[in-house]
Amino acid sequence: MKKGLALLLLAALCVFTYVRTDRPDQDPYLITDYSRLHPVKVERVATGREQSQLVKLVQEAREKGLALSIAGQRHSQGGHTYYKDGIVVDMTSYNKILKLDTAGKTIRVQAGATWEAIQHVINPHGLAVKTMQSQNIFTVGGSISVNAHGRDIRSGSMIASVESFRLLTAEGKIIHVSRSENSELFPLVLGGFGLFGIILDVTLYLTDDEVYTIVTEAMSVQDYTDYFVRQVLPDPAIRMHMARVSTAPGSFLEEMYTMNYVAADNIPLNKHHQLQTRELGITVGKALFQLNRSSKRFKGLFWQLQTAHYSNLQGNVISRNNAMRANSQFMEYSNIGKADLLQEYFIPVEQYADFIAAFKAILLEEKLNLLNITVRFVKEDHEAVLSYANADSFALVCLFHTPLSAQAREDFQQGIETIIDEVLKHGGTYYLPYAPFPTTAQFAQAYPSQQYFFARKDLYDPEGIFMNYFYERYSGREEIDAN
């Protein structure tokens, strides 16, 4: 009965929280990314279709002195996928599945293929992806360009799942890149944000699909590190893990819940392997999340319902492929004059509780509207030149809500810079695909290999054919125009 009343309440809330999303808050002739922070005019958007066409685009850019930027789903939030007066190469139509090797557990796909498309091909063969984001909507090329990570705590960041790829260089040549062939480019391109060329296709390592039992547990922020180190990481049966931290008044950054995906070898895969194609409750979720943006009181309600929902998952059985098909549609937002902006901080495991305490003080002082924190674990990995995993770390994926006025953006940037100072003080780093609020000095401290990265970029692409605002912001070129 209580559950029924709760659903009726949520349905009623939907009626009163309609948000206009049909009017743009920027010039329709400009292009931007998911953040809507820095719209600019580009020469054109070129849809990637064939290899020969992409080669001609590079040749055209060289001849006309134009910049090329590479775009997938454009969920990066720092101008990584476009550049003023340049050509945006939209790779989402360059999306064929080229070869599946079931015996060798590899798959070769064009860069615009989504993880969802891959899952539909490999699922009938009892295979699954090793590493990807928690949603399957992104392109493979985009995911390896940001060196993504996800809920899997055994496979590391995205670079570990890549066997090789083909790259269209600034010279218009197509080369094969792996750990043994053109090997210097391998750790530069993976996590290189499209600055070294167009990734044409990728060969990925796969793993076995398997069945998991979901185990959830509520705990305090103070207890989390000890719990993870003693009970989660040493248990090989726990394949994936995630957690969420409360942003509600009364339990703000003090309470959290965890969710483990535990291998259930006694449950046949064939009973649970069918891919889930839809997620229930999107409309209700959107309404609740809108309230979460606007009211501390409703942040408390949202946290209560969220924790209740995940408690109800206790003991549920799910396949690996379905566990990696989470949908975040309920968080989508496009209201005029405001935005939801992601920031992500990588905190060494042993520093987690101390950092959260300092983080809480900054959020309260700076009056930042933090909507959600998801916690994941990332293994130490130094293979990518711009690696964010300098140590075994907890990744804190933080979603903020902020107005887009000039003053609000200035205040927000100041708050983020203060947070980054605290991240660095605790030996952490931050994720580069998001809005470039950190200073150049903070970037240099978090990524000490950045000088080598930009030097190799200029060596392989001396004319600056491949360009974006990440390069302009942090390589020493002119700052992004804040207006």
Side-chain angles (χ1 to χ4, degrees):
M1 185 66 175
K2 288 183 179 179
K3 184 182 291 187
L5 288 173
L7 290 173
L8 286 174
L9 170 62
L10 297 183
L13 287 172
C14 291
V15 176
F16 294 105
T17 56
Y18 174 70
V19 178
R20 286 293 300 274
T21 59
D22 58 341
R23 295 178 297 171
D25 58 349
Q26 61 197 41
D27 188 327
Y29 296 102
L30 303 182
I31 193 170
T32 185
D33 54 26
Y34 202 71
S35 72
R36 298 180 290 148
L37 287 176
H38 184 56
V40 300
K41 182 180 179 297
V42 298
E43 202 271 344
R44 72 181 188 274
V45 177
T47 301
R49 297 185 304 275
E50 298 176 356
Q51 180 175 294
S52 58
Q53 172 232 2
L54 294 172
V55 171
K56 288 179 181 177
L57 281 174
V58 174
Q59 293 172 343
E60 178 187 352
R62 288 173 58 85
E63 292 168 1
K64 296 181 179 180
L66 296 172
L68 283 179
S69 301
I70 320 303
Q73 299 290 359
R74 292 196 298 180
H75 272 246
S76 297
Q77 297 187 3
H80 300 75
T81 55
Y82 60 97
Y83 195 73
K84 58 189 174 187
D85 300 323
I87 300 173
V88 175
V89 185
D90 183 343
M91 295 293 287
T92 54
S93 295
Y94 195 78
N95 57 13
K96 293 179 181 177
I97 308 293
L98 300 174
K99 182 180 179 182
L100 172 63
D101 179 355
T102 56
K105 296 182 183 179
T106 63
I107 190 168
R108 180 169 165 250
V109 302
Q110 290 182 333
T114 64
W115 297 103
E116 180 179 21
I118 290 175
Q119 286 181 320
H120 277 290
V121 170
I122 66 178
N123 190 68
H125 300 278
L127 296 173
V129 171
K130 277 193 168 185
T131 301
M132 54 176 264
Q133 297 99 314
S134 293
Q135 291 82 38
N136 63 2
I137 63 171
F138 302 109
T139 64
V140 170
S143 293
I144 68 172
S145 292
V146 302
N147 193 22
H149 65 93
R151 298 182 184 183
D152 186 292
I153 62 174
R154 309 296 173 186
S155 299
S157 50
M158 190 79 245
I159 191 171
S161 297
V162 179
E163 187 233 59
S164 61
F165 56 90
R166 289 194 310 143
L167 184 73
L168 173 57
T169 70
E171 296 179 338
K173 297 180 180 178
I174 296 173
I175 61 174
H176 189 265
V177 182
S178 68
R179 291 176 176 84
S180 60
E181 189 175 357
N182 296 301
S183 58
E184 184 181 54
L185 278 165
F186 191 85
L188 289 165
V189 175
L190 300 184
F193 305 102
L195 290 172
F196 290 85
I198 300 176
I199 299 169
L200 296 176
D201 48 67
V202 185
T203 300
L204 297 164
Y205 296 115
L206 301 174
T207 190
D208 292 324
D209 196 10
E210 52 190 359
V211 177
Y212 301 140
T213 299
I214 295 176
V215 177
T216 64
E217 188 168 347
M219 66 187 61
S220 71
V221 165
Q222 288 293 325
D223 292 338
Y224 179 58
T225 294
D226 186 69
Y227 161 78
F228 185 84
V229 170
R230 293 178 181 273
Q231 298 186 45
V232 177
L233 205 53
D235 186 349
I238 299 178
R239 306 286 209 264
M240 297 197 294
H241 171 89
M242 58 87 68
R244 284 208 167 94
V245 183
S246 172
T247 59
S251 59
F252 186 63
L253 271 61
E254 293 179 0
E255 294 179 359
M256 57 188 299
Y257 65 82
T258 70
M259 184 156 57
N260 294 316
Y261 296 82
V262 184
D265 297 332
N266 59 325
I267 301 177
L269 174 63
N270 59 10
K271 292 185 177 180
H272 300 276
H273 82 286
Q274 185 172 349
L275 291 178
Q276 299 168 359
T277 57
R278 59 193 293 262
E279 186 172 2
L280 299 175
I282 294 298
T283 302
V284 170
K286 276 181 172 287
L288 277 174
F289 212 75
Q290 172 58 17
L291 293 173
N292 188 38
R293 292 181 179 96
S294 59
S295 165
K296 289 184 178 179
R297 181 164 63 91
F298 282 110
K299 276 185 168 64
L301 174 62
F302 186 77
W303 177 246
Q304 290 175 24
L305 292 171
Q306 196 176 36
T307 53
H309 168 70
Y310 282 96
S311 294
N312 289 335
L313 295 178
Q314 185 78 258
N316 280 13
V317 175
I318 190 170
S319 71
R320 180 182 179 90
N321 277 325
N322 279 318
M324 299 177 86
R325 289 173 67 82
N327 195 316
S328 60
Q329 289 183 26
F330 73 92
M331 297 169 66
E332 290 180 357
Y333 182 76
S334 57
N335 203 12
I336 298 167
K338 298 180 181 180
D340 289 348
L341 298 177
L342 283 166
Q343 294 285 293
E344 185 170 351
Y345 312 118
F346 300 92
I347 307 300
V349 167
E350 68 278 5
Q351 294 288 324
Y352 173 77
D354 287 345
F355 172 77
I356 289 288
F359 187 36
K360 177 179 178 179
I362 294 170
L363 293 171
L364 295 174
E365 175 69 22
E366 300 289 340
K367 296 181 173 58
L368 297 175
N369 188 0
L370 178 63
L371 302 178
N372 188 70
I373 305 182
T374 301
V375 182
R376 303 187 184 99
F377 172 75
V378 181
K379 291 169 57 177
E380 180 177 3
D381 182 9
H382 297 284
E383 185 174 18
V385 172
L386 293 182
S387 176
Y388 45 79
N390 294 335
D392 284 355
S393 301
F394 290 128
L396 278 62
V397 186
C398 302
L399 185 67
F400 294 92
H401 184 65
T402 181
L404 293 177
S405 68
Q407 184 60 55
R409 287 170 61 175
E410 183 179 333
D411 293 343
F412 186 76
Q413 175 155 347
Q414 179 58 54
I416 297 301
E417 289 177 10
T418 303
I419 293 169
I420 296 295
D421 280 340
E422 200 64 43
V423 169
L424 296 172
K425 189 184 300 183
H426 285 82
T429 60
Y430 64 93
Y431 204 23
L432 297 174
Y434 299 131
F437 295 122
T439 66
T440 53
Q442 289 175 327
F443 169 68
Q445 185 176 345
Y447 290 89
S449 59
Q450 51 91 21
Q451 287 186 324
Y452 170 77
F453 176 86
F454 288 125
R456 304 320 280 177
K457 153 68 177 173
D458 294 340
L459 175 68
Y460 283 104
D461 183 14
E463 296 178 49
I465 300 296
F466 298 105
M467 187 60 60
N468 60 33
Y469 285 102
F470 167 73
Y471 178 81
E472 181 177 272
R473 172 74 165 97
Y474 291 110
S475 67
R477 285 178 166 239
E478 66 177 279
E479 299 281 319
I480 294 179
D481 179 7
N483 297 318

